[in-house]
Structures are given as structure tokens and as C-alpha cells.
Amino acid sequence: MVSVEPVRTRRRPWWRAHGLFLLALVAAVAVRVTVMVAYRPVLLFPDSFGYLRHTIPFRLMWQRPAGYQALLWPLVHLPHWRYLVPALQHLMGLGLAIACYAFLVRRGLPRWGATLAVLPLLFDPLQLVLEHYLLSDTLFELLLVGACLLLLWHPRPGYWAMALAGLAMAGATLTRGAGTLIILVFVIALLCLRVGWRRMVTFLVAAIIPLGVYSVAYHQQYGSYAITSAGPRFLYARLATIVRCHPLQLPSYERPLCPQGPPRDREVINWYIWGHQRAPQWQVPPPPGMTQLQMVKDYDKRVVRQQPLVFTRSVITHFAMGFAPSRAVHIGGNPSEHWLFEDHYWVLDRLIKNGFQPPSARAGTSSNHAAATFMTRYRTHLWTPGPLLALLGLVGLVAAFGVGRSRWSGDRVAIGLLLGACLVPLATGAAVSGFSWRYQMPQLPMLPLAGALGIAALVRGRAPGRTVDTPLRLLDSTAAALARLPMPAGLRSGLERGCERGVVQWLLALLAGVAAGVVSGLVVVRSGWADPAHCAGGGLVVGVVVTVLLLVSRAHAARPLPDTAPSSEQPEPAAR
């Protein structure tokens, strides 16, 4: 018998296997070093001074969560902390890029594709400038993307991963007010992942405990259980620039809150929220038995309820501005120049000119002209086009709905979680605060991740080693459970025949849609944000959507999956 020696394969060194990404990473480090040399020690924004004032001594702010203050507090006690903060934030961006690259490679993407997907995170000038600002956006991005990766790293995340993801999600909520609603996205993703009730409880407990402790601390300082109390005041400023006062039906004590004159002649959003508290919401006295904040919140509800189309159109416009081809797009009062590198330390120019900061605020800041000039040319020629990010998001959305081969990819929940966790904060910021380029930062890591996974799912289907997402069989499972209930034999026989023909499943989908529409309409009516007529139309839309999704899910579950199992026949090795 001729012996056959096993063929030994030499594995390439890791630094050669990931050489393309390592080259990009080294270049990204060099660009960040250039930024730190160009603008010293750290870039400042009006919000930066508020963070610093409330960090020493540490106290909660009414207008912003204190997650970023918790990061600053140990750093500001160290020497040269003004250099440490931007250095740490640049390391956060690099570390997040490494984690995203590793995640995509783990999901079966080619290394060159994974490298392309993290290029915006490595090189986009908006990412670079926000990492160098003394602002909460980099920490929010790290916690939000980190929570998603913790849940998606393994097909079935363990208890520790669930707990850490819950803590990271809570940290993101306590860092930026726009992250308030992201817990809903995570809960829906966990239901689709079918992690089991124990893991779900682990995630919820880890997320709710920090939020609960924070709300208790906020109550001790401000007298209300909340994360912030700024929502009504931010929304008032948002509405003040678009509301049409003449047709509004308001009580007499709220009428002075509505700005006079046509919207085009009014002040900008920032003036109505800050503006040295000269806006009506700070000056109009409340009626007896109502605080000023309660009055402003009641006014906001009346405006949204009576002019929903005006508000919706404005929100959609501000949301779409985040995908503009040029970074020069901006709204009044929040110019794009804040986020565009200049050939000098430019960030205080506007504040000093308008009297928001004294000239002494420049003390301790400096710039390197050569490095700053390079960064100015850099941002002029290199950025991630907004339409490209929008296209990647649309590709991810198509794949998340299971179109074509993506149905068998096993990545649909991952794509949906990345898209939802990105778009919900963007929409929240557009609705409550208005457009700003700093609010678009989550696009840079999350939309390319979702788009890369979506392209791979649409092209290849299931990746080697990936398991197919278990299809949801809610209607069939519910119909089978009904057939097992105690009932007369004749009724049971008819019910079983209805299940076989699909009639029972159709009726269940219709009932579920009606229930969802009625419940959603009642909830919105009780909240006061819409009148009954609009709630009836919205409830009808919700009911139709729920019914169609249930039926489409059942149709997808009924379609057989392709046989992708490898053949058991292996060729015999040739004898020497």
C-alpha cells in the first residue's frame, strides 16, 4: 500500500493576511497625528464650556445627559488633560475601526471589502474633526456601535455579551439625548434573534439599572424623574422657526409663545433655545398650577397636533440634509464652518465675534500653519459623499427585508439592527434639535457596515459557516396553538381544515393588524401629540403594515431553503 503524506499548508502571517487594512490603519494614525499637531490642544464648541463647568464640581445638567462628563471627570484631574482628551477620542475612533473590520471579516466578507467599509471611519474629515472636539459625539458613537457589535459578534450571544451590550446601550442613552429611543431597536432585534427570555432579561436589567439610577439622581437635583428636562424646550425652538401662528387655536396664556411675523423673518433655532433666554419660552409666565416647562410642553403638543404636515415636512427636510453631496450645507445659526478644518485655530472666531466668548478664550490655544493648511486641503478633496451613504443604507434595507439571496444570508437581523440604531438617533435629532453635521456622525461607521453586509447578502446568499435566520412562523404557531385548545370535535376539525388552507392564518393576521392599529391610535391620542382624526389614519396605516408584514413573513417561512450542504463524497487522494 502506498502511503499518502498529508499536504501541509503554510498560513500567511497575520500582518500579511490583513496587510491592506494595516496600511489604511497606519495612514489613519498619521492623519490623526496631523490633526493633533494642527490644532492644539483641543477644539472647542459652546457645549464644551458647559461640559467643563459641570464636571468640576460634578453635577448633572438639565439640558444634556452626563455620560460625557463621567468620561471627563477623571481626565481633568490629570496634568495636560487638554491633550489627553482628544488623544483618547482619536484612539476610540481607531479602536472602533479595528472592531468593525474584525466584525466584517468574521461575518465572511473579503478583507478588501471589510477595509473599504471602514474607510469612512478611518479617514472622513467629519470623523476626524469630531474626535478632536471636546464634545460627546465620539463617545456616543463608540458606545452605540459597540453595543451592536457585542450582540452580533456571536450567532447566539452569551449572558456576558448581553449584559455588556445593555450597559453600552444605556451609556449611549446617557451620553446623547438623541439615543433615548434606541432601546426599542435593540429589543426588536433581540426578539428576532430569539435569544430566549433569560438573555432578554439580562440585557434589559443591565440597560435599565443605570438609567434608573441616573433618573433618581436627576430627581434629587431637579425634582423630576428623567434623563433631561430639555426635550420640550428644544422642540419649542425647533417649532418656533416653522409654526404658522395665525390659524393656531391656543389658550390665551400660550398665545405669547408663538413668534410673530412670517417664518422666514424669524430668528434661528439656536436663538429660541439659548439666545440669553430672550425667547418667549423663557419670558412668558405660566398660569396658576402649571410650571413654565409644563406650559411649553403643552404648547408643543398643540402645535404638532394642529400642524402635523408642517412639522413632518420640516423633519424630513432636516433628515435628508444629512445625505447632501456637500458638507457646506447648513441651517441658520448652526453653520457648517464649525465642522470644516481651516488653516488656523478657527473655532473661536465666530464665538468671539458675536460676543459669546471673550478674546481671552484664545489663551492656551494655538495652531501649526503647515499642518492646518494640509488639513484644510484634505477636507476639501476627501469626504464620504452623502448620496453614497444613502445608497448603502438602501442596499442594507433591501437585504434586511430578505430580497433575493439575502433571505438565506443569516445577516438580516444584523443589518436591521445597524440600520435602526443609526437612523433612529438621526431622526430624533432632526425632529427635536434640527440639522447639524455633528449629529450625522453615526452614519460613518454604521451605514457602511450595513451596506457591506447587505451587498454580500444579496450577491452570495449564505456565507460559509453562517447559519440561516430561522423564519418567523407566528401565524402558523398561533393557529396550531388554537387547534390544541379544548373544543368540540366538529369545531376542531373545521379549525384544522382552516389551518391547512391558510384561512385561519389570514384571519389572525387581520385581527393582529386591527389590534395594532387600535392600540397605537389610542396611545397617540392619550399622549396628546395628535388629534383623533390623524390618529385614526395613522392607526389604519399601522394595521395594514402589521397585517402585510405577518403575511409576508408567513410566505417567506413557507418557501423552502436551498440545499447548501456540501457533498459528502470526497475525492480519494491520488497514490504516488
Side-chain angles (χ1 to χ4, degrees):
M1 179 181 295
V2 180
S3 62
V4 179
E5 296 181 359
V7 178
R8 297 180 179 178
T9 59
R10 294 184 58 187
R11 297 183 60 183
R12 289 189 299 170
W14 65 270
W15 53 271
R16 292 187 61 184
H18 304 282
L20 183 61
F21 172 74
L22 290 177
L23 288 175
L25 186 64
V26 170
V29 172
V31 173
R32 282 163 171 81
V33 171
T34 305
V35 173
M36 296 187 68
V37 172
Y39 314 101
R40 301 188 301 270
V42 63
L43 296 178
L44 298 172
F45 191 71
D47 296 359
S48 306
F49 302 99
Y51 283 120
L52 293 176
R53 282 194 301 267
H54 290 80
T55 299
I56 301 179
F58 190 94
R59 59 190 188 277
L60 305 183
M61 290 189 286
W62 66 268
Q63 69 270 43
R64 298 184 189 91
Y68 188 58
Q69 293 171 239
L71 174 69
L72 291 179
W73 186 83
L75 297 177
V76 296
H77 292 85
L78 300 175
H80 309 295
W81 65 268
R82 294 180 181 178
Y83 293 90
L84 291 177
V85 171
L88 177 60
Q89 293 180 169
H90 286 306
L91 290 176
M92 288 180 182
L94 294 171
L96 189 59
I98 295 172
C100 291
Y101 171 81
F103 170 74
L104 292 178
V105 172
R106 184 180 179 85
R107 286 269 168 169
L109 266 72
R111 295 183 178 95
W112 62 265
T115 302
L116 287 177
V118 298
L119 288 182
L121 190 54
L122 290 174
F123 296 108
D124 193 283
L126 181 62
Q127 177 75 29
L128 299 175
V129 75
L130 284 171
E131 287 178 7
H132 205 61
Y133 263 105
L134 201 149
L135 289 173
S136 61
D137 300 87
T138 303
L139 179 61
F140 176 75
E141 177 190 56
L142 176 70
L143 293 171
L144 182 61
V145 181
C148 295
L149 297 185
L150 284 168
L151 286 183
L152 301 173
W153 194 261
H154 296 284
R156 184 175 176 81
Y159 290 102
W160 278 108
M162 300 294 290
L164 292 175
L167 290 174
M169 193 223 68
T173 303
L174 295 176
T175 301
R176 280 277 315 277
T180 305
L181 300 177
I182 58 175
I183 188 172
L184 301 177
V185 178
F186 280 86
V187 169
I188 294 173
L190 291 175
L191 291 174
C192 294
L193 286 174
R194 302 187 183 186
V195 296
W197 68 269
R198 291 184 179 87
R199 286 176 170 82
M200 176 70 80
V201 169
T202 301
F203 175 84
L204 291 177
V205 169
I208 291 174
I209 287 180
L211 299 177
V213 171
Y214 188 93
S215 64
V216 171
Y218 191 88
H219 176 268
Q220 291 180 348
Q221 186 167 335
Y222 293 102
S224 62
Y225 292 98
I227 303 300
T228 70
S229 57
R233 296 198 180 275
F234 276 104
L235 184 56
Y236 170 85
R238 177 78 174 81
L239 296 171
T241 61
I242 60 174
V243 62
R244 300 171 183 173
C245 296
H246 178 69
L248 274 181
Q249 297 179 4
L250 299 172
S252 58
Y253 59 85
E254 290 183 8
R255 177 60 62 177
L257 289 174
C258 200
Q260 300 302 313
R264 65 177 178 272
D265 296 334
R266 295 176 188 166
E267 300 286 351
V268 297
I269 294 176
N270 280 347
W271 186 88
Y272 285 103
I273 180 62
W274 308 120
H276 301 290
Q277 297 190 354
R278 290 174 293 176
Q281 69 163 323
W282 301 106
Q283 303 296 329
V284 177
M290 182 181 291
T291 65
Q292 191 179 61
L293 184 64
Q294 291 172 337
M295 179 185 65
V296 171
K297 184 176 182 180
D298 184 70
Y299 169 83
D300 293 342
K301 289 183 177 181
R302 294 181 191 275
V303 173
V304 174
R305 186 166 61 242
Q306 296 182 42
Q307 299 184 3
L309 295 181
V310 174
F311 178 60
T312 303
R313 183 166 55 249
S314 178
V315 172
I316 293 174
T317 301
H318 282 225
F319 181 84
M321 290 173 71
F323 300 96
S326 170
R327 293 277 169 82
V329 175
H330 64 271
I331 61 173
N334 197 353
S336 60
E337 286 81 3
H338 284 304
W339 324 112
L340 298 175
F341 291 117
E342 298 294 343
D343 59 1
H344 63 287
Y345 191 93
W346 79 100
V347 292
L348 292 177
D349 293 349
R350 186 180 180 88
L351 299 179
I352 295 174
K353 179 181 178 180
N354 296 331
F356 290 109
Q357 291 293 326
S360 60
R362 294 188 184 276
T365 65
S366 61
S367 63
N368 180 287
H369 181 71
T373 301
F374 172 80
M375 292 310 305
T376 304
R377 295 175 179 173
Y378 178 94
R379 60 91 172 166
T380 304
H381 298 93
L382 182 64
W383 73 92
T384 310
L388 176 60
L389 291 172
L391 179 61
L392 291 173
L394 289 175
V395 171
L397 188 64
V398 169
F401 275 102
V403 176
R405 294 183 178 182
S406 64
R407 176 173 170 251
W408 312 306
S409 65
D411 290 326
R412 293 170 57 190
V413 177
I415 298 170
L417 175 59
L418 291 168
L419 286 176
C422 172
L423 297 180
V424 167
L426 296 183
T428 303
V432 179
S433 303
F435 172 76
S436 173
W437 278 112
R438 63 175 289 202
Y439 301 152
Q440 312 306 312
M441 195 176 186
Q443 292 185 21
L444 300 177
M446 304 183 83
L447 291 184
L449 283 181
L453 290 176
I455 293 173
L458 291 168
V459 171
R460 76 185 179 194
R462 180 166 52 161
R466 294 288 302 155
T467 58
V468 179
D469 294 328
T470 306
L472 296 176
R473 303 178 183 272
L474 297 177
L475 296 177
D476 292 328
S477 301
T478 306
L482 289 176
R484 290 193 296 268
L485 294 176
M487 63 184 68
L491 182 59
R492 183 189 304 277
S493 177
L495 185 61
E496 290 176 350
R497 289 197 300 270
C499 292
E500 293 176 358
R501 297 175 181 176
V503 177
V504 175
Q505 288 86 335
W506 273 82
L507 291 176
L508 288 173
L510 183 60
L511 290 174
V514 171
V518 170
V519 170
S520 62
L522 290 176
V523 169
V524 177
V525 167
R526 290 293 300 274
S527 69
W529 289 99
D531 58 28
H534 292 123
C535 289
L540 178 62
V541 172
V542 171
V544 171
V545 170
V546 169
T547 302
V548 170
L549 288 179
L550 288 173
L551 293 175
V552 170
S553 175
R554 180 174 183 268
H556 272 271
R559 291 168 55 190
L561 295 174
D563 183 13
T564 57
S567 174
S568 59
E569 297 182 2
Q570 300 293 337
E572 296 182 359
R576 292 185 177 178

